[in-house]
Amino acid sequence: NAVAIYVDTVTASTCGDVTVNDASRVFVGAQVKGASAGGRYWDGQIDDVRVYNRVISATEVTALYQSYNPGIVVSDLQKGLVGWWKFDGNAKDATPNSLNGTVTGATLTTDRKGQASKAYSFVSASTQYINVGISSYNLGIRRSATFAGWIYSGSFNSFGSLISDYISNGMTLRTEGATTATFYVYPNNHRITASYSFSTNTWYHLAGVMDG
């Protein structure tokens, strides 16, 4: 049993019995409070956000990290994929679940390869976020899950959430300043951190996995 977090392909992990009870709606770019965005807003860009109802392996994390490069096969990464927001011109879900996001304030911007309107930009001071409108619990997630996505920031000077459905249950994947990435799993109160020196104006891939 384990909770683990990856920054690009570097991992830190801890063991413990984990499970998710009923949680709130999934938000991108903010931590959840009740059924609304409630702080820890992201300041910068976010792209290619995924939710799985299974644990993806270290090899699969590497494949996700390399997936933008020619010749990388990621067909196996469709298994258990219950939410996928590519941000290709909109916040629609690319899975059959059609969990299309509602955008508040965030604007389309260039992605990590310089392609226009292929990522979203968030300004933390303006409380910008994307509401997916369903919880991980309602996606069938109980004891195994993966949250993943790409982040970019010009500051890294405060806490910022990539994806969250935490109230007193659920999960949150975020950074804490320029030196720490964190994956929380509640109600077990597991908090796994990865020490990492984030550079501003650089894209990073984050993945948090829960194997209960």
Side-chain angles (χ1 to χ4, degrees), residues 18-39:
V18 293
T19 187
V20 171
N21 294 332
D22 197 10
S24 183
R25 299 171 181 175
V26 173
F27 281 75
V28 175
Q31 187 165 298
V32 182
K33 183 177 182 180
S36 304

PDB file of all heavy atoms in Angstrom, residues 18-39:
ATOM      1  N   VAL A  18      -4.795   3.429   2.750  1.00  0.00           N
ATOM      2  CA  VAL A  18      -5.484   4.620   2.278  1.00  0.00           C
ATOM      3  C   VAL A  18      -6.800   4.245   1.613  1.00  0.00           C
ATOM      4  O   VAL A  18      -6.952   3.175   1.037  1.00  0.00           O
ATOM      5  CB  VAL A  18      -4.622   5.424   1.278  1.00  0.00           C
ATOM      6  CG1 VAL A  18      -3.408   6.002   1.966  1.00  0.00           C
ATOM      7  CG2 VAL A  18      -4.204   4.562   0.092  1.00  0.00           C
ATOM      8  N   THR A  19      -7.754   5.146   1.703  1.00  0.00           N
ATOM      9  CA  THR A  19      -9.028   4.992   1.020  1.00  0.00           C
ATOM     10  C   THR A  19      -9.655   6.363   0.870  1.00  0.00           C
ATOM     11  O   THR A  19      -9.319   7.296   1.597  1.00  0.00           O
ATOM     12  CB  THR A  19      -9.974   4.064   1.804  1.00  0.00           C
ATOM     13  OG1 THR A  19     -11.148   3.824   1.019  1.00  0.00           O
ATOM     14  CG2 THR A  19     -10.376   4.667   3.134  1.00  0.00           C
ATOM     15  N   VAL A  20     -10.543   6.518  -0.089  1.00  0.00           N
ATOM     16  CA  VAL A  20     -11.254   7.776  -0.305  1.00  0.00           C
ATOM     17  C   VAL A  20     -12.734   7.562  -0.018  1.00  0.00           C
ATOM     18  O   VAL A  20     -13.346   6.657  -0.581  1.00  0.00           O
ATOM     19  CB  VAL A  20     -11.062   8.281  -1.747  1.00  0.00           C
ATOM     20  CG1 VAL A  20     -11.980   9.464  -2.029  1.00  0.00           C
ATOM     21  CG2 VAL A  20      -9.611   8.689  -1.972  1.00  0.00           C
ATOM     22  N   ASN A  21     -13.284   8.356   0.864  1.00  0.00           N
ATOM     23  CA  ASN A  21     -14.716   8.366   1.083  1.00  0.00           C
ATOM     24  C   ASN A  21     -15.324   9.419   0.165  1.00  0.00           C
ATOM     25  O   ASN A  21     -14.652   9.925  -0.735  1.00  0.00           O
ATOM     26  CB  ASN A  21     -15.033   8.657   2.547  1.00  0.00           C
ATOM     27  CG  ASN A  21     -14.569   7.535   3.459  1.00  0.00           C
ATOM     28  OD1 ASN A  21     -14.498   6.378   3.043  1.00  0.00           O
ATOM     29  ND2 ASN A  21     -14.243   7.866   4.694  1.00  0.00           N
ATOM     30  N   ASP A  22     -16.578   9.792   0.375  1.00  0.00           N
ATOM     31  CA  ASP A  22     -17.214  10.762  -0.505  1.00  0.00           C
ATOM     32  C   ASP A  22     -16.441  12.072  -0.483  1.00  0.00           C
ATOM     33  O   ASP A  22     -16.022  12.551   0.566  1.00  0.00           O
ATOM     34  CB  ASP A  22     -18.665  10.999  -0.065  1.00  0.00           C
ATOM     35  CG  ASP A  22     -19.482  11.652  -1.153  1.00  0.00           C
ATOM     36  OD1 ASP A  22     -18.971  11.741  -2.286  1.00  0.00           O
ATOM     37  OD2 ASP A  22     -20.610  12.065  -0.874  1.00  0.00           O
ATOM     38  N   ALA A  23     -16.219  12.641  -1.670  1.00  0.00           N
ATOM     39  CA  ALA A  23     -15.419  13.860  -1.797  1.00  0.00           C
ATOM     40  C   ALA A  23     -16.234  14.921  -2.521  1.00  0.00           C
ATOM     41  O   ALA A  23     -17.404  14.735  -2.820  1.00  0.00           O
ATOM     42  CB  ALA A  23     -14.127  13.550  -2.558  1.00  0.00           C
ATOM     43  N   SER A  24     -15.599  16.049  -2.776  1.00  0.00           N
ATOM     44  CA  SER A  24     -16.285  17.150  -3.443  1.00  0.00           C
ATOM     45  C   SER A  24     -16.051  17.067  -4.949  1.00  0.00           C
ATOM     46  O   SER A  24     -15.579  16.072  -5.466  1.00  0.00           O
ATOM     47  CB  SER A  24     -15.774  18.477  -2.894  1.00  0.00           C
ATOM     48  OG  SER A  24     -16.466  19.556  -3.454  1.00  0.00           O
ATOM     49  N   ARG A  25     -16.394  18.123  -5.648  1.00  0.00           N
ATOM     50  CA  ARG A  25     -16.165  18.186  -7.081  1.00  0.00           C
ATOM     51  C   ARG A  25     -14.680  18.354  -7.381  1.00  0.00           C
ATOM     52  O   ARG A  25     -13.945  18.942  -6.600  1.00  0.00           O
ATOM     53  CB  ARG A  25     -16.946  19.360  -7.667  1.00  0.00           C
ATOM     54  CG  ARG A  25     -18.447  19.244  -7.465  1.00  0.00           C
ATOM     55  CD  ARG A  25     -19.152  20.525  -7.853  1.00  0.00           C
ATOM     56  NE  ARG A  25     -20.593  20.418  -7.647  1.00  0.00           N
ATOM     57  CZ  ARG A  25     -21.446  21.423  -7.819  1.00  0.00           C
ATOM     58  NH1 ARG A  25     -20.993  22.612  -8.181  1.00  0.00           N
ATOM     59  NH2 ARG A  25     -22.733  21.241  -7.628  1.00  0.00           N
ATOM     60  N   VAL A  26     -14.281  17.855  -8.536  1.00  0.00           N
ATOM     61  CA  VAL A  26     -12.900  18.022  -8.968  1.00  0.00           C
ATOM     62  C   VAL A  26     -12.709  19.428  -9.519  1.00  0.00           C
ATOM     63  O   VAL A  26     -13.489  19.891 -10.357  1.00  0.00           O
ATOM     64  CB  VAL A  26     -12.535  16.977 -10.041  1.00  0.00           C
ATOM     65  CG1 VAL A  26     -11.145  17.258 -10.606  1.00  0.00           C
ATOM     66  CG2 VAL A  26     -12.600  15.566  -9.461  1.00  0.00           C
ATOM     67  N   PHE A  27     -11.669  20.102  -9.034  1.00  0.00           N
ATOM     68  CA  PHE A  27     -11.298  21.429  -9.527  1.00  0.00           C
ATOM     69  C   PHE A  27      -9.869  21.385 -10.059  1.00  0.00           C
ATOM     70  O   PHE A  27      -9.005  20.752  -9.462  1.00  0.00           O
ATOM     71  CB  PHE A  27     -11.387  22.483  -8.423  1.00  0.00           C
ATOM     72  CG  PHE A  27     -12.781  22.971  -8.130  1.00  0.00           C
ATOM     73  CD1 PHE A  27     -13.675  22.179  -7.431  1.00  0.00           C
ATOM     74  CD2 PHE A  27     -13.203  24.219  -8.568  1.00  0.00           C
ATOM     75  CE1 PHE A  27     -14.961  22.614  -7.166  1.00  0.00           C
ATOM     76  CE2 PHE A  27     -14.483  24.668  -8.306  1.00  0.00           C
ATOM     77  CZ  PHE A  27     -15.370  23.871  -7.601  1.00  0.00           C
ATOM     78  N   VAL A  28      -9.636  22.089 -11.148  1.00  0.00           N
ATOM     79  CA  VAL A  28      -8.291  22.290 -11.687  1.00  0.00           C
ATOM     80  C   VAL A  28      -7.896  23.732 -11.403  1.00  0.00           C
ATOM     81  O   VAL A  28      -8.656  24.661 -11.681  1.00  0.00           O
ATOM     82  CB  VAL A  28      -8.253  22.022 -13.205  1.00  0.00           C
ATOM     83  CG1 VAL A  28      -6.877  22.351 -13.773  1.00  0.00           C
ATOM     84  CG2 VAL A  28      -8.621  20.577 -13.496  1.00  0.00           C
ATOM     85  N   GLY A  29      -6.719  23.916 -10.804  1.00  0.00           N
ATOM     86  CA  GLY A  29      -6.232  25.260 -10.525  1.00  0.00           C
ATOM     87  C   GLY A  29      -6.626  25.816  -9.179  1.00  0.00           C
ATOM     88  O   GLY A  29      -6.327  26.978  -8.885  1.00  0.00           O
ATOM     89  N   ALA A  30      -7.283  25.012  -8.337  1.00  0.00           N
ATOM     90  CA  ALA A  30      -7.703  25.482  -7.016  1.00  0.00           C
ATOM     91  C   ALA A  30      -7.949  24.294  -6.103  1.00  0.00           C
ATOM     92  O   ALA A  30      -8.275  23.193  -6.557  1.00  0.00           O
ATOM     93  CB  ALA A  30      -8.967  26.328  -7.108  1.00  0.00           C
ATOM     94  N   GLN A  31      -7.793  24.534  -4.796  1.00  0.00           N
ATOM     95  CA  GLN A  31      -8.203  23.545  -3.813  1.00  0.00           C
ATOM     96  C   GLN A  31      -9.682  23.757  -3.506  1.00  0.00           C
ATOM     97  O   GLN A  31     -10.199  24.869  -3.616  1.00  0.00           O
ATOM     98  CB  GLN A  31      -7.383  23.669  -2.529  1.00  0.00           C
ATOM     99  CG  GLN A  31      -7.639  22.556  -1.517  1.00  0.00           C
ATOM    100  CD  GLN A  31      -6.570  22.507  -0.446  1.00  0.00           C
ATOM    101  OE1 GLN A  31      -5.395  22.286  -0.747  1.00  0.00           O
ATOM    102  NE2 GLN A  31      -6.957  22.711   0.794  1.00  0.00           N
ATOM    103  N   VAL A  32     -10.358  22.683  -3.121  1.00  0.00           N
ATOM    104  CA  VAL A  32     -11.798  22.727  -2.923  1.00  0.00           C
ATOM    105  C   VAL A  32     -12.144  23.085  -1.486  1.00  0.00           C
ATOM    106  O   VAL A  32     -11.473  22.689  -0.541  1.00  0.00           O
ATOM    107  CB  VAL A  32     -12.421  21.362  -3.273  1.00  0.00           C
ATOM    108  CG1 VAL A  32     -13.929  21.398  -3.114  1.00  0.00           C
ATOM    109  CG2 VAL A  32     -12.049  20.960  -4.684  1.00  0.00           C
ATOM    110  N   LYS A  33     -13.230  23.849  -1.326  1.00  0.00           N
ATOM    111  CA  LYS A  33     -13.814  24.115  -0.015  1.00  0.00           C
ATOM    112  C   LYS A  33     -15.318  23.990  -0.171  1.00  0.00           C
ATOM    113  O   LYS A  33     -15.946  24.801  -0.853  1.00  0.00           O
ATOM    114  CB  LYS A  33     -13.444  25.505   0.496  1.00  0.00           C
ATOM    115  CG  LYS A  33     -13.971  25.785   1.904  1.00  0.00           C
ATOM    116  CD  LYS A  33     -13.505  27.151   2.387  1.00  0.00           C
ATOM    117  CE  LYS A  33     -13.988  27.427   3.811  1.00  0.00           C
ATOM    118  NZ  LYS A  33     -13.545  28.757   4.282  1.00  0.00           N
ATOM    119  N   GLY A  34     -15.896  22.950   0.424  1.00  0.00           N
ATOM    120  CA  GLY A  34     -17.305  22.665   0.185  1.00  0.00           C
ATOM    121  C   GLY A  34     -17.472  22.230  -1.258  1.00  0.00           C
ATOM    122  O   GLY A  34     -16.759  21.366  -1.741  1.00  0.00           O
ATOM    123  N   ALA A  35     -18.405  22.830  -1.949  1.00  0.00           N
ATOM    124  CA  ALA A  35     -18.624  22.515  -3.360  1.00  0.00           C
ATOM    125  C   ALA A  35     -18.025  23.598  -4.259  1.00  0.00           C
ATOM    126  O   ALA A  35     -18.313  23.654  -5.450  1.00  0.00           O
ATOM    127  CB  ALA A  35     -20.106  22.365  -3.635  1.00  0.00           C
ATOM    128  N   SER A  36     -17.176  24.468  -3.688  1.00  0.00           N
ATOM    129  CA  SER A  36     -16.633  25.596  -4.431  1.00  0.00           C
ATOM    130  C   SER A  36     -15.113  25.629  -4.320  1.00  0.00           C
ATOM    131  O   SER A  36     -14.521  24.971  -3.463  1.00  0.00           O
ATOM    132  CB  SER A  36     -17.206  26.913  -3.880  1.00  0.00           C
ATOM    133  OG  SER A  36     -18.610  26.909  -3.913  1.00  0.00           O
ATOM    134  N   ALA A  37     -14.486  26.411  -5.197  1.00  0.00           N
ATOM    135  CA  ALA A  37     -13.053  26.655  -5.075  1.00  0.00           C
ATOM    136  C   ALA A  37     -12.794  27.420  -3.789  1.00  0.00           C
ATOM    137  O   ALA A  37     -13.523  28.349  -3.453  1.00  0.00           O
ATOM    138  CB  ALA A  37     -12.560  27.444  -6.279  1.00  0.00           C
ATOM    139  N   GLY A  38     -11.752  27.018  -3.058  1.00  0.00           N
ATOM    140  CA  GLY A  38     -11.570  27.615  -1.745  1.00  0.00           C
ATOM    141  C   GLY A  38     -10.150  27.982  -1.397  1.00  0.00           C
ATOM    142  O   GLY A  38      -9.761  27.987  -0.231  1.00  0.00           O
ATOM    143  N   GLY A  39      -9.323  28.318  -2.387  1.00  0.00           N
ATOM    144  CA  GLY A  39      -7.974  28.762  -2.083  1.00  0.00           C
ATOM    145  C   GLY A  39      -6.915  27.911  -2.746  1.00  0.00           C
ATOM    146  O   GLY A  39      -7.211  27.027  -3.550  1.00  0.00           O
TER     147      GLY A  39
END
